[in-house]
Amino acid sequence: MSAGPSAAERRLLEVEAEPLAARLDAWLAVRLPELSRSRAAALIEAGRVLVNGKPARKSHRPEAGQVVEVEIPPVEPSEVRAEALPLVIVYEDSDLVVLDKPAGIVVHPAPGHASGTLVNALLFHVGGLSGIGGVRRPGIVHRLDKDTSGLMLVAKNDGAHRQLSVALKARAIRRRYLAAVWGHLREDDVVVEAPIGRAAGDRKRMAVTPGGRPARTRLHRLERWKAADLLRAELDTGRTHQIRVHLAWIGHPVVGDAVYGRGRESGMGGSAASWTRGLAQLVPRQFLHATELELAHPRTGERLHFESPLPADLAAAAGWARGDASS
């Protein structure tokens, strides 16, 4: 094993009697929670893991009495540039960050969005990033669309990222949204369960499709407006555009949704016609806000609960829809 940079961390682990023989990469991910399995595998393949002083394969199954030596190199700087963009941090500790994302900002850098993203802002504002996969970068546990605002969960290290991702898949993280939709639900509580996949002929859009992944959204009507409802939507799964796709599929697209609900308000006639046009003009983007987040802390197990009220643009539109005198 090479000496490596002086900042590299070395860990010595003695293998105890294991009830089930696990591969070396999986065993390391359990014994060293700060490492993901893929990160452990990368260290093994780079020759930074020795078993009884000799390089080992990731498929090796540790046996009782063996000594495993792990060299963890310093975290590499991210290729993404840190930028001093406005960011509202609701909560931060050594493992995670909860932030209140504004509408209009993309989460990850991508072609056409190399800068000005949420990740750029996080690299500037968040301290103590130990990195994900050996790179100093935040671990996005779940995303929000560009024009969706509200609470997002971010991990600051591999261990927290892995545990939070597992909790998300196990539906142990509760995510609730506020959404205004055109028309009225048939009843106050509706569960939409329909598979979601890429739309045929348009890979940028999602759709309810027989070959899609299972998806379930719970809806509860909070307010009934003249020609729209204000709903609380809770995700049981986390498919791309899930709330927007499910609501459009049941005939009640999100107000202001340019992809799945374009022009819906123009099809309403009668006494609701002018009202729908008025609401549409007041909503500058899709009326969808991540309002509530509840989870168990990945290290301590403490229950954490966060809430975010409607931002000013959506609050003003909701006030108008209710007929508030101040709106």
Side-chain angles (χ1 to χ4, degrees), residues 253-283:
V254 174
V255 173
D257 190 337
V259 175
Y260 301 105
R262 181 185 297 276
R264 176 59 187 265
E265 68 277 6
S266 63
M268 295 188 182
S271 60
S274 61
W275 187 93
T276 56
R277 287 194 298 269
L279 180 60
Q281 290 171 2
L282 286 172
V283 178

mmCIF file of all heavy atoms in Angstrom, residues 253-283:
data_model
loop_
_atom_site.group_PDB
_atom_site.id
_atom_site.type_symbol
_atom_site.label_atom_id
_atom_site.label_comp_id
_atom_site.label_asym_id
_atom_site.label_seq_id
_atom_site.Cartn_x
_atom_site.Cartn_y
_atom_site.Cartn_z
ATOM 1 N N PRO A 253 -54.708 19.014 -13.377
ATOM 2 C CA PRO A 253 -53.293 19.423 -13.425
ATOM 3 C C PRO A 253 -52.999 20.592 -12.489
ATOM 4 O O PRO A 253 -53.891 21.361 -12.125
ATOM 5 C CB PRO A 253 -53.093 19.817 -14.887
ATOM 6 C CG PRO A 253 -54.458 20.182 -15.370
ATOM 7 C CD PRO A 253 -55.398 19.272 -14.654
ATOM 8 N N VAL A 254 -51.741 20.687 -12.100
ATOM 9 C CA VAL A 254 -51.300 21.766 -11.230
ATOM 10 C C VAL A 254 -51.455 23.104 -11.946
ATOM 11 O O VAL A 254 -51.088 23.249 -13.116
ATOM 12 C CB VAL A 254 -49.832 21.554 -10.810
ATOM 13 C CG1 VAL A 254 -49.302 22.747 -10.023
ATOM 14 C CG2 VAL A 254 -49.700 20.275 -9.986
ATOM 15 N N VAL A 255 -52.004 24.063 -11.253
ATOM 16 C CA VAL A 255 -52.139 25.415 -11.805
ATOM 17 C C VAL A 255 -50.743 25.943 -12.151
ATOM 18 O O VAL A 255 -49.812 25.842 -11.347
ATOM 19 C CB VAL A 255 -52.816 26.352 -10.787
ATOM 20 C CG1 VAL A 255 -52.803 27.801 -11.289
ATOM 21 C CG2 VAL A 255 -54.245 25.893 -10.503
ATOM 22 N N GLY A 256 -50.615 26.467 -13.365
ATOM 23 C CA GLY A 256 -49.346 27.038 -13.794
ATOM 24 C C GLY A 256 -48.350 26.039 -14.330
ATOM 25 O O GLY A 256 -47.224 26.420 -14.669
ATOM 26 N N ASP A 257 -48.704 24.762 -14.428
ATOM 27 C CA ASP A 257 -47.781 23.742 -14.927
ATOM 28 C C ASP A 257 -47.729 23.817 -16.452
ATOM 29 O O ASP A 257 -48.647 23.384 -17.144
ATOM 30 C CB ASP A 257 -48.234 22.355 -14.474
ATOM 31 C CG ASP A 257 -47.196 21.273 -14.755
ATOM 32 O OD1 ASP A 257 -46.359 21.467 -15.653
ATOM 33 O OD2 ASP A 257 -47.224 20.236 -14.064
ATOM 34 N N ALA A 258 -46.622 24.332 -16.972
ATOM 35 C CA ALA A 258 -46.499 24.544 -18.415
ATOM 36 C C ALA A 258 -46.267 23.255 -19.184
ATOM 37 O O ALA A 258 -46.440 23.218 -20.400
ATOM 38 C CB ALA A 258 -45.356 25.520 -18.695
ATOM 39 N N VAL A 259 -45.888 22.182 -18.499
ATOM 40 C CA VAL A 259 -45.600 20.921 -19.179
ATOM 41 C C VAL A 259 -46.817 19.997 -19.185
ATOM 42 O O VAL A 259 -47.193 19.448 -20.212
ATOM 43 C CB VAL A 259 -44.406 20.206 -18.510
ATOM 44 C CG1 VAL A 259 -44.169 18.836 -19.141
ATOM 45 C CG2 VAL A 259 -43.150 21.060 -18.617
ATOM 46 N N TYR A 260 -47.465 19.827 -18.038
ATOM 47 C CA TYR A 260 -48.544 18.851 -17.920
ATOM 48 C C TYR A 260 -49.933 19.479 -17.821
ATOM 49 O O TYR A 260 -50.928 18.749 -17.790
ATOM 50 C CB TYR A 260 -48.310 17.962 -16.699
ATOM 51 C CG TYR A 260 -46.998 17.217 -16.746
ATOM 52 C CD1 TYR A 260 -45.918 17.600 -15.962
ATOM 53 C CD2 TYR A 260 -46.835 16.126 -17.601
ATOM 54 C CE1 TYR A 260 -44.705 16.917 -16.009
ATOM 55 C CE2 TYR A 260 -45.628 15.428 -17.656
ATOM 56 C CZ TYR A 260 -44.568 15.834 -16.860
ATOM 57 O OH TYR A 260 -43.366 15.162 -16.912
ATOM 58 N N GLY A 261 -49.999 20.809 -17.758
ATOM 59 C CA GLY A 261 -51.310 21.439 -17.628
ATOM 60 C C GLY A 261 -51.500 22.661 -18.488
ATOM 61 O O GLY A 261 -52.371 23.491 -18.228
ATOM 62 N N ARG A 262 -50.686 22.783 -19.534
ATOM 63 C CA ARG A 262 -50.739 23.982 -20.381
ATOM 64 C C ARG A 262 -52.120 24.184 -20.991
ATOM 65 O O ARG A 262 -52.695 23.281 -21.584
ATOM 66 C CB ARG A 262 -49.703 23.876 -21.496
ATOM 67 C CG ARG A 262 -49.662 25.114 -22.419
ATOM 68 C CD ARG A 262 -48.710 24.903 -23.585
ATOM 69 N NE ARG A 262 -47.338 24.734 -23.129
ATOM 70 C CZ ARG A 262 -46.519 25.744 -22.855
ATOM 71 N NH1 ARG A 262 -46.954 26.990 -22.977
ATOM 72 N NH2 ARG A 262 -45.281 25.518 -22.463
ATOM 73 N N GLY A 263 -52.656 25.389 -20.828
ATOM 74 C CA GLY A 263 -53.907 25.769 -21.464
ATOM 75 C C GLY A 263 -55.152 25.210 -20.826
ATOM 76 O O GLY A 263 -56.256 25.404 -21.351
ATOM 77 N N ARG A 264 -55.004 24.526 -19.704
ATOM 78 C CA ARG A 264 -56.192 23.922 -19.088
ATOM 79 C C ARG A 264 -57.224 24.987 -18.712
ATOM 80 O O ARG A 264 -58.425 24.795 -18.873
ATOM 81 C CB ARG A 264 -55.785 23.133 -17.843
ATOM 82 C CG ARG A 264 -56.959 22.539 -17.052
ATOM 83 C CD ARG A 264 -57.790 21.591 -17.906
ATOM 84 N NE ARG A 264 -58.984 21.159 -17.228
ATOM 85 C CZ ARG A 264 -59.098 20.035 -16.532
ATOM 86 N NH1 ARG A 264 -58.064 19.216 -16.439
ATOM 87 N NH2 ARG A 264 -60.225 19.709 -15.963
ATOM 88 N N GLU A 265 -56.753 26.144 -18.225
ATOM 89 C CA GLU A 265 -57.690 27.183 -17.789
ATOM 90 C C GLU A 265 -58.502 27.749 -18.945
ATOM 91 O O GLU A 265 -59.631 28.216 -18.764
ATOM 92 C CB GLU A 265 -56.938 28.309 -17.066
ATOM 93 C CG GLU A 265 -56.018 29.156 -17.950
ATOM 94 C CD GLU A 265 -54.646 28.514 -18.154
ATOM 95 O OE1 GLU A 265 -54.457 27.363 -17.711
ATOM 96 O OE2 GLU A 265 -53.782 29.171 -18.760
ATOM 97 N N SER A 266 -57.936 27.707 -20.168
ATOM 98 C CA SER A 266 -58.657 28.276 -21.313
ATOM 99 C C SER A 266 -59.861 27.434 -21.705
ATOM 100 O O SER A 266 -60.747 27.905 -22.411
ATOM 101 C CB SER A 266 -57.700 28.406 -22.513
ATOM 102 O OG SER A 266 -57.245 27.133 -22.934
ATOM 103 N N GLY A 267 -59.896 26.180 -21.232
ATOM 104 C CA GLY A 267 -61.012 25.320 -21.583
ATOM 105 C C GLY A 267 -62.194 25.449 -20.658
ATOM 106 O O GLY A 267 -63.216 24.785 -20.862
ATOM 107 N N MET A 268 -62.111 26.269 -19.641
ATOM 108 C CA MET A 268 -63.207 26.438 -18.701
ATOM 109 C C MET A 268 -64.098 27.591 -19.143
ATOM 110 O O MET A 268 -63.630 28.688 -19.437
ATOM 111 C CB MET A 268 -62.669 26.703 -17.287
ATOM 112 C CG MET A 268 -61.895 25.526 -16.711
ATOM 113 S SD MET A 268 -61.470 25.772 -14.973
ATOM 114 C CE MET A 268 -60.530 24.283 -14.646
ATOM 115 N N GLY A 269 -65.369 27.325 -19.167
ATOM 116 C CA GLY A 269 -66.299 28.351 -19.608
ATOM 117 C C GLY A 269 -67.239 28.775 -18.500
ATOM 118 O O GLY A 269 -67.043 28.467 -17.334
ATOM 119 N N GLY A 270 -68.307 29.478 -18.885
ATOM 120 C CA GLY A 270 -69.309 29.899 -17.919
ATOM 121 C C GLY A 270 -68.778 30.933 -16.940
ATOM 122 O O GLY A 270 -67.862 31.707 -17.225
ATOM 123 N N SER A 271 -69.345 30.903 -15.730
ATOM 124 C CA SER A 271 -69.000 31.910 -14.728
ATOM 125 C C SER A 271 -67.569 31.747 -14.217
ATOM 126 O O SER A 271 -67.000 32.670 -13.628
ATOM 127 C CB SER A 271 -69.974 31.807 -13.543
ATOM 128 O OG SER A 271 -69.894 30.520 -12.947
ATOM 129 N N ALA A 272 -66.971 30.561 -14.431
ATOM 130 C CA ALA A 272 -65.611 30.327 -13.933
ATOM 131 C C ALA A 272 -64.536 30.815 -14.904
ATOM 132 O O ALA A 272 -63.362 30.872 -14.538
ATOM 133 C CB ALA A 272 -65.402 28.838 -13.663
ATOM 134 N N ALA A 273 -64.927 31.177 -16.126
ATOM 135 C CA ALA A 273 -63.933 31.505 -17.148
ATOM 136 C C ALA A 273 -63.036 32.669 -16.731
ATOM 137 O O ALA A 273 -61.810 32.585 -16.792
ATOM 138 C CB ALA A 273 -64.631 31.801 -18.471
ATOM 139 N N SER A 274 -63.633 33.762 -16.324
ATOM 140 C CA SER A 274 -62.816 34.926 -15.961
ATOM 141 C C SER A 274 -62.013 34.669 -14.691
ATOM 142 O O SER A 274 -60.885 35.140 -14.543
ATOM 143 C CB SER A 274 -63.712 36.161 -15.780
ATOM 144 O OG SER A 274 -64.656 35.946 -14.736
ATOM 145 N N TRP A 275 -62.589 33.877 -13.775
ATOM 146 C CA TRP A 275 -61.883 33.565 -12.528
ATOM 147 C C TRP A 275 -60.632 32.736 -12.815
ATOM 148 O O TRP A 275 -59.561 32.991 -12.276
ATOM 149 C CB TRP A 275 -62.812 32.812 -11.584
ATOM 150 C CG TRP A 275 -62.244 32.594 -10.201
ATOM 151 C CD1 TRP A 275 -62.404 33.380 -9.110
ATOM 152 C CD2 TRP A 275 -61.422 31.490 -9.783
ATOM 153 N NE1 TRP A 275 -61.733 32.861 -8.023
ATOM 154 C CE2 TRP A 275 -61.123 31.694 -8.411
ATOM 155 C CE3 TRP A 275 -60.916 30.357 -10.421
ATOM 156 C CZ2 TRP A 275 -60.339 30.814 -7.675
ATOM 157 C CZ3 TRP A 275 -60.126 29.480 -9.684
ATOM 158 C CH2 TRP A 275 -59.859 29.715 -8.326
ATOM 159 N N THR A 276 -60.761 31.737 -13.684
ATOM 160 C CA THR A 276 -59.607 30.895 -13.996
ATOM 161 C C THR A 276 -58.524 31.696 -14.708
ATOM 162 O O THR A 276 -57.332 31.499 -14.447
ATOM 163 C CB THR A 276 -60.018 29.695 -14.863
ATOM 164 O OG1 THR A 276 -60.677 30.156 -16.047
ATOM 165 C CG2 THR A 276 -60.953 28.778 -14.109
ATOM 166 N N ARG A 277 -58.927 32.597 -15.599
ATOM 167 C CA ARG A 277 -57.928 33.436 -16.268
ATOM 168 C C ARG A 277 -57.221 34.323 -15.253
ATOM 169 O O ARG A 277 -56.005 34.522 -15.322
ATOM 170 C CB ARG A 277 -58.582 34.276 -17.362
ATOM 171 C CG ARG A 277 -58.997 33.488 -18.599
ATOM 172 C CD ARG A 277 -59.308 34.407 -19.758
ATOM 173 N NE ARG A 277 -60.437 35.295 -19.462
ATOM 174 C CZ ARG A 277 -61.701 34.988 -19.737
ATOM 175 N NH1 ARG A 277 -61.993 33.826 -20.304
ATOM 176 N NH2 ARG A 277 -62.679 35.836 -19.449
ATOM 177 N N GLY A 278 -57.982 34.828 -14.299
ATOM 178 C CA GLY A 278 -57.386 35.683 -13.272
ATOM 179 C C GLY A 278 -56.371 34.937 -12.424
ATOM 180 O O GLY A 278 -55.283 35.450 -12.141
ATOM 181 N N LEU A 279 -56.713 33.711 -12.011
ATOM 182 C CA LEU A 279 -55.783 32.936 -11.200
ATOM 183 C C LEU A 279 -54.545 32.576 -12.019
ATOM 184 O O LEU A 279 -53.411 32.669 -11.520
ATOM 185 C CB LEU A 279 -56.455 31.659 -10.685
ATOM 186 C CG LEU A 279 -55.566 30.758 -9.818
ATOM 187 C CD1 LEU A 279 -55.077 31.509 -8.579
ATOM 188 C CD2 LEU A 279 -56.325 29.497 -9.406
ATOM 189 N N ALA A 280 -54.750 32.192 -13.273
ATOM 190 C CA ALA A 280 -53.623 31.822 -14.121
ATOM 191 C C ALA A 280 -52.641 32.979 -14.276
ATOM 192 O O ALA A 280 -51.421 32.786 -14.284
ATOM 193 C CB ALA A 280 -54.123 31.358 -15.492
ATOM 194 N N GLN A 281 -53.165 34.191 -14.377
ATOM 195 C CA GLN A 281 -52.299 35.360 -14.537
ATOM 196 C C GLN A 281 -51.511 35.671 -13.263
ATOM 197 O O GLN A 281 -50.418 36.240 -13.315
ATOM 198 C CB GLN A 281 -53.133 36.575 -14.938
ATOM 199 C CG GLN A 281 -53.692 36.476 -16.349
ATOM 200 C CD GLN A 281 -54.697 37.586 -16.660
ATOM 201 O OE1 GLN A 281 -54.953 38.455 -15.820
ATOM 202 N NE2 GLN A 281 -55.263 37.550 -17.853
ATOM 203 N N LEU A 282 -52.061 35.259 -12.115
ATOM 204 C CA LEU A 282 -51.401 35.547 -10.838
ATOM 205 C C LEU A 282 -50.337 34.512 -10.469
ATOM 206 O O LEU A 282 -49.509 34.771 -9.593
ATOM 207 C CB LEU A 282 -52.444 35.599 -9.719
ATOM 208 C CG LEU A 282 -53.344 36.836 -9.678
ATOM 209 C CD1 LEU A 282 -54.441 36.646 -8.653
ATOM 210 C CD2 LEU A 282 -52.509 38.070 -9.341
ATOM 211 N N VAL A 283 -50.383 33.355 -11.114
ATOM 212 C CA VAL A 283 -49.433 32.287 -10.769
ATOM 213 C C VAL A 283 -48.286 32.302 -11.779
ATOM 214 O O VAL A 283 -48.466 31.916 -12.932
ATOM 215 C CB VAL A 283 -50.129 30.912 -10.757
ATOM 216 C CG1 VAL A 283 -49.132 29.804 -10.444
ATOM 217 C CG2 VAL A 283 -51.259 30.906 -9.742
#
